[in-house]
Every structure is written in structure tokens, then in C-alpha cells.
Amino acid sequence: MGMEGIGQRVVRKEDKRFITGKGKYTDDVKLVGMTHAHFVRSPHAHAKVVSIDSAAALAMPGVIAVLTGAELVADRIGNLICGWMVHSKDGSPMKMGAYPAMAPETVRYVGQAVAVVIAETKNQARDAAEAVAVEYEELPAATTVAAALAPDAPQLHPEAAGNRVYEWSIGDKAATEAAFSGAAHVVSMDITNNRLVPNPMEPRSAVANYDSGDDALTLWTTSQNPHVARLVLSAFYNIAPEHKLRVIAPDVGGGFGSKIYIYPEEIVCLWAARKVNRPIKWTSDRTEAFLTDAHGRDHISKAEMAFDADHKILGLRVHTYANFGAYMSLFSSSVPTYLYATLLSGQYVIPAIYAEVDGVYTNTVPVDAYRGAGRPEATYLLERMMETAARQFGLDPTDLRRKNFITSFPYQTPVIMTYDAGDYNASLDAALKAVDYAGFPARKAAAAARGKLRGIGFSCYIEACGIAPSKAVGSLGAGVGLWESAEVRVNPVGTVEVLTGSHSHGQGHETTFAQLISERLGIGIDQVSIVHGDTDKVQFGMGTYGSRSGAVGMSAIVKAMDKVEAKARKIAAHLMEAAEGDIVIEGGEFKVAGTDKKMPFALVALAAYTGHNLPDGMEPGLKEGAFYDPTNFTFPAGTYVCEVEIDADTGKTEVVNFVAADDFGRMINPMIVEGQVHGGLAQGIGQALLEGTVYSDDGQLMTASYMDYCMPRADDLPSFDLHHTTTLCPGNPLGIKGCGEAGAIGSPPAVINAITDAIGHNDMSMPATPAKVWAAIHGRAAAE
Amino acid sequence: MTTVSMTVNGRQVSADVEDRTLLVDYLRNAINLTGTHVGCDTSQCGACVVHVDGRAVKSCTMLAVQASGSAVTTIEGLATGDELHPVQAAFREHHGLQCGFCTPGMIMTAVDMIRRHGGQLDEATVRHELEGNICRCTGYHNIVKAILDAAAKMQMPAAAE
Ligand code: FES
Ligand code: FES
């Protein structure tokens, strides 16, 4: 293993441009003749668009065009699609209403675009948008599941009677009923998972350019998967044929799921750029981001768990209502179903599970995958249940978990998943040791002496990363395959370019992917470039989400590397007149085993390109590609322990200790892995303590800026204490499991379990704001 | 339109802008220094922090005309040639950035923090003083480490290393 190979804490190659201000994000793109777009957005949650009068706006300085939803529809620009068909338990397909990129007739959430102004400058576009006179006829709105399912609720879409998108189920209902009828104990809880706004620090942005000479379009956009963007824009939205559309996702300032989807603004900018024949830039401001970026979570669940007399779990029954917002976003249908309910077995042997999920339309921003997507919701539900059950039984919460852990693999859960490998006791042991569980009572007493309430809470999470395989997800309704592609191009001088379909928006691929090449070829990571994010450079890819870049993306690179090495070996054997099987690659050299014959990799590369002396019949060059389709998800897991201190006078919770013990399989760069965990923990602790999206009953978003939506800041968080245990993933060549979402999945229940432990009161919902915690301590109705 | 002139990163610059132009827009659009970022519209996130006459300022909170005649330093002006500023180096060393979007503002805030506190920085102070800068990627853990390390190194004469 070289200094920069697998397992090394190599500092990142990409950092230089970011720390010197040379990163190139979409809003940094400037084109000659570029114009600016500003959207006219609905102030109402639900209304008919009666008329749009653009005359005053068109007369304003710099204004080039005002385009409306009616014109968009007239130009046959397609409605936004949902890419995963989920069927209800009665077999009927989900019921979806039309989702136009700008609303021609009806708006269904505050912030939905009805028109766009194109002007010479951003300020001119903004000013003119104010002058577009839109007449609305307000309709009653429903912003919660309860309101949308009420008998007299307003109907959002004619296609979805009762605002129900689907009534889905998974598991064995009869077996689960039987488990409950034979149970010694049943634990029941109502559990809400609060709606979140992803809030990557870089607001979404799109720059669209139309080249009338080539009749081709280019889109720079803040996307986690530019190829899927191009595919969908071409195949469904009628923007341009795929070969006439180039999508570039340059440096992207965080995504967390919210930049997976194709958004109306990208469609409109491309369409409008052709119409006005000028380049167009649109960049969201932060309030626009709150109003239009896909939100996350928003589940209301009733959960019941059956135990035998020995506290072994017999069964789990869950009914969840998922608030989808006003329209179905690109992957939204799969989040509360195949990404959530399939993880409801957690780390436990649960012989029977039955889960029902009702998807519901409301007059709110569309909801889709956000960091963890479904797994945080499953983990929160299960781990709140386990802690609550332990308290009801008077057991130590870690003992109850151990008693029910899955300990032999592979393990088939009752809800589709086959866990391939894991050691849940090992991560629990590591976490308990790190947190000094035995010393907790003394720390609690010391805190009490200082007038503070101290509590400890646990969470044993599992996640499913690298969603796969394509055949399986296809049979479950997915509209895309979930493989990844890679191409390894060795240059004649021995430097290497890796073209990957994965996309980095902070994950450090330029470093970790290069570390893989360094490990294989023994060359420095400076000799390797990682090329991604441009559909004109990389042939195809599925992008980055669901912690798939390591497990799936790097596996594709391994496959391409295998081919490169096989050919290079043949060349080296030929040049050194040795048997191919005797060639070993070591420290950047090709050696003939058992002899002192060797040649540097760079000379093998050069020979491939000079073509002067290659084996008979061999094509010159050294460049190979591969597609990798995984055989299964990977299953990272771990134990998180949170210790809090609460000020009873103010209700303020301080996280005084947070221990994470994770099993991510093989780690390419532990420094980067730990950074991913830190970020996930901050988002999960943010969900537990601070973040919550609030709509008024009539559908106004009350938390539409950083003044109102409480983002975790440095002062709100502790330093984290991270530990690792390792079982390799048997399903991919590197043994990688994935780490990007663990922190956000595992931490919320640990925090809430710690708070409820501290206050001795189990009724606490997220976010556990000081007002709510104070009310719980002092026995007052919570100030919601 | 007003002609606004100032020194940016030691270079005299001048551009005609609308009176309402914010300093951040002046830097990004009139002067083409796009390292300074915009992450919000309420002066909460700190992605836009630059130094005006040596002090950290949220450049989305100040009009360009207000900075007229000042000396402004942006992230692009922090390194000396190829040599990174110690705070820049520490962010890299400690993996204090992921997507890099908040990073210019974080670094400019950190430089000013260290200037004001010298070596007297501790973790609680750093966390408290970072309240005006939001990072969604790193959980702050490594940013705090980077700032503490840079503060210690900047105090230490190179000879002592
Ligand atoms: S852009 Fe200045 S504080 Fe957010
Ligand atoms: S590194 Fe992405 S927001 Fe801080």
C-alpha cells in the first residue's frame, strides 16, 4: 500500500481551488450576452390563475420577455415526472396529478412559478417580476396529512381522489396479526418525523445557452446527476434530443438529495433560452430555496411492537402517512416505501413485519429524498420504540437491543432486504466503551449537583446504501437502472484520467478515486485526474446519492482498471519476453516474478501508444470502460450514543457527548469518511433539536429564511467522538459499504432518547426546542 | 449609476454600478471575483465574508458605495503568490471543507477571529464566534480544529517549529 493508496488519510486534491476562491459553481458562469431570469411565484397555497397581465413588466427597462405557463404548455414542454411507479396494495398504480414547470391554470403551493421574466440584469428581472399582474382566485388549502384526508378537504388533483396518491403495504399481514395475538407485551407509539429543508449552502442555479448554429443546448446546473438530468430533459420534457443537449454540473455546493431532481427552473431556462435566443442565468435566493427546493421527511406513524415474555420481538406493525406536498417529485414515491419500510427490521430479528404507507397530497412544497431518504425515518421509529420498550420493561436499553440483534448473516428480513454482513454487537461494544457507560450515573449525579438534567440515549441504526440491483429495482417500479459507469484512460506518458458517472458535490471523489488508482498502479494521486459532471465528457452515469459513489462508482472503476491492467500486463509480458502470469504490478513497476526484470508503468503506457512492439493482433492504446451493476445494497450499521444536559430553567439542551461507532466496511480515506459522518451528525442533531418546517394552516411557509428556520451552527454542536469497526461488504470488489448518510440516519433517535431519559417524560417530538423541553419538564402543554 | 472605486486585493478597481448594488455583487459581477459567495438573503450565512479595511464584513450587508475608497481583501487575495495563508493551509490539513461553498467566508471570518484573539483562542470561543457562518457539510468539527491549529501556528515563529 502506497502513501496515497487505499486506507490513507490523504489531504484532498480538490481543496486548493476551494480555499483560494477558484472553485467554479454554476452562478460563477458568465456567458457573452447573458440575460437573467426571475420567476413570478404564487403567494397562495391553492388558487386558480385567472389572468396574467405582463404589459407593465414588458415596458420596463431591460425586459426581454415575460413567459407564462400557458405558453410553456402550448409549446408542448412536458410535465415533470415521477420516476418510480409504486402500486397500491389493491394493485392499482399510484394516482398522480399533472406537474407543469410553470402553472398554467392552478397553483398548489406557495412559491410555485406561474411566469418568468427575462431581462438584461438580475435587478431588472426582479423589478419587472413585481410588475407582472397575476389575478388569482383563492381556493381552500390543506397543508397537513390530517387536513388533506378530512372528508371535506380541498381536492388538489382530480386524478387523486381524497388526495391519496397510494395506499401501499409490505410484509405479511396475517403473520403479523398472529404475532400480536400471541404477545406477552405490546409497545405502541405515535411517531412524527418532522419536515426538513435540505439547505445546501449553494442555492440552486441554472445557466442555459442555445447555439442556433448547431441547434444545441447547454445547461450548467447544480445537479447531483447531470446524465439523468439530460436523459429526463430529453426523454420526457421535450427540451432537446439527448445528443443536442449538454449538461454540466460543475462544482456543486452541497446537495444532500435536494439536487438530485430536475426542477421547473432548469426546464424553463432551457426552453426560454431557445425562445429568446440568448443565454439565461437563474440563481435561487435563499427564500426561493426554502419555497422550492424539495423538502424531506414529513411522516406521521403509528407503530406497535409485540414481544414475548422473554422480551424477544415477535412482530412489528406500522402505519405511516407520508406528506408528499403538492406534486410528486422525481423519486418521491420510492422514499416512504422502498427506501423506508424495507429498513423497518433495523438490526433486529423481527419474525413478522407489516407496514402500510399512505401517500398524501397537500398544498406544500414537494417532498423528496433528503440525506438518508427513508432510512432516517425507519431508524427513528424503530430506535424510539426500542428505547421506549426497554423503559417499559425496566431493562437496560442496550440489553434489550443485544437480545434481539441479528447475529448470523446473510439474514433475510420479512421486508425484502437480505443483509449480507455485519457485527452489531461489535459496534455497540465500541460505542459503550468510548462513552464510558458505567460512569454515566456518576456524571448524571454531578450534573444534578450543578442543577442540570443529564440523559443518555442510544441508537443502533442500519442503512441500505448503493440502491441496487437494476433488475430488482426495475421490478419494483424504478424508471432507471442503478449501475454506474467508469472509463480509465491511460495517457502515453503514464498519467491517468478516470471518467466517472458519479458526481462529487463535496464528497472528495477527486481524491478518493485517485487513491484507488494509486493503489492499483503505484503512481501518485497527482498523476491522476478524475473527470465527472459533464455529459460531453463522460458517456453516462447515474450520479451521486444514497451513498453509492464508493460502493457502486468505485466498483465500476475497479472493473475498468481490471481491464486496463490485463492489457498492460500483456504488453509488459511481451516487451520483457515473460509469461503474462508472471507479471506483478508493484510500486508503479511491472516486474517479472522471480527475476530482476522490470519496467516502469509509464513505459508500458508509452508502448501501448507507440504501437511499435505490441503482441500480434493487439489494438494500440490503453483505455478501458466498464459498467458495474451491484448484486445487492450494502448495509452499513453502527451504534450512536448521545449524552445531553438540559437546563431545567430554560429547557435548552446541550449535547455534551456524542459517540459514533460505525461499520462502513473498507474505508478508502478515513479522514474523508469521518468528515462525512460529522456532517451527517450535524444534520441529524439539527433535525432533533433545531430544524422544523412550519406552514400556517392556509399554506404560508412560516420558516422561509435563516431567520426562522434554525440551522445548526458551530455553537449548537459538540465535537464528535468517532470510532470504527469493520466487516467488509462481500458484495463489491472493495468491500465498501457507504458512509454519507449514516450520521443523519443514526443521530436523531439517539438525541431524543437522551432528552426523554433526562426529563423522565417520553412525549417529545422533533425538534426538541427549548420551549417544548421546558414545557415537558414543567408539565405544561407544549408550545408548538 | 455611480462610479465606485476601491482597492481590492491590493489592486485599484473601479466600476459603474447602480446605487443599490451590494458589495458582494460588485465583487462577483463588476470585478469578476467569484470566490466570495452568496448563500442567503438575510445576512445569516456568512458565505460572503470579506475584509474591509482589515475587518471581517458580510459583503451582502454593505453597499458597494459604502466601501468606496476602502481596502477590501477577498479570498482570492489571501494567499501570497503560491504560498497559502496559514488559515487556508489549516483548512486543507484538517479537512475543514467539503463542498467548499461556505469555505471562503469561513476562512475570512477565521483570519479576522485569529487577528482579534491572537493565540488566546479556545474551542468555545471559536464555536461562539463562528455563529455568523453556516456550513451544511462539515458539522464544524474540522473547521474548529483548523482554526485552533492555525491560531496556534500563527503565534508560533517559524523558527520554533
Ligand atoms: S450571503 Fe451574506 S450572510 Fe449570507
Ligand atoms: S463545506 Fe459545504 S457548506 Fe461548508
Side-chain angles (χ1 to χ4, degrees), chain A residues 652 654 712-719, chain B residues 44 58 106 109-110 113-114 116-117 120-134 140 143-145 147-148:
Chain A
K652 184 159 168 42
E654 189 190 347
R713 293 167 191 267
D715 222 4
D716 299 312
L717 298 167
S719 281
Chain B
Q44 297 277 311
K58 288 183 172 172
M106 283 283 178
T109 295
M113 192 189 303
I114 293 169
R116 285 183 288 105
H117 292 274
Q120 305 311 306
L121 274 176
D122 54 35
E123 180 178 338
T125 310
V126 172
R127 285 187 180 275
H128 181 67
E129 295 225 350
L130 272 186
E131 267 199 318
N133 290 70
I134 301 175
Y140 307 102
I143 291 176
V144 172
K145 266 176 39 187
I147 296 174
L148 287 171

Side-chain angles (χ1 to χ4, degrees), chain A residues 16-25 28 251, chain B residues 34-35 37 100:
Chain A
K16 176 146 185 238
R17 66 177 185 272
F18 297 131
I19 55 182
T20 56
K22 302 285 165 51
K24 190 156 186 137
Y25 301 88
D28 301 341
D251 287 329
Chain B
T34 55
H37 295 151

Side-chain angles (χ1 to χ4, degrees), chain B residues 37-41 43-48 58 60:
Chain B
H37 295 151
V38 179
C40 72
D41 30 49
S43 290
Q44 297 277 311
C45 77
C48 62
K58 288 183 172 172
C60 72

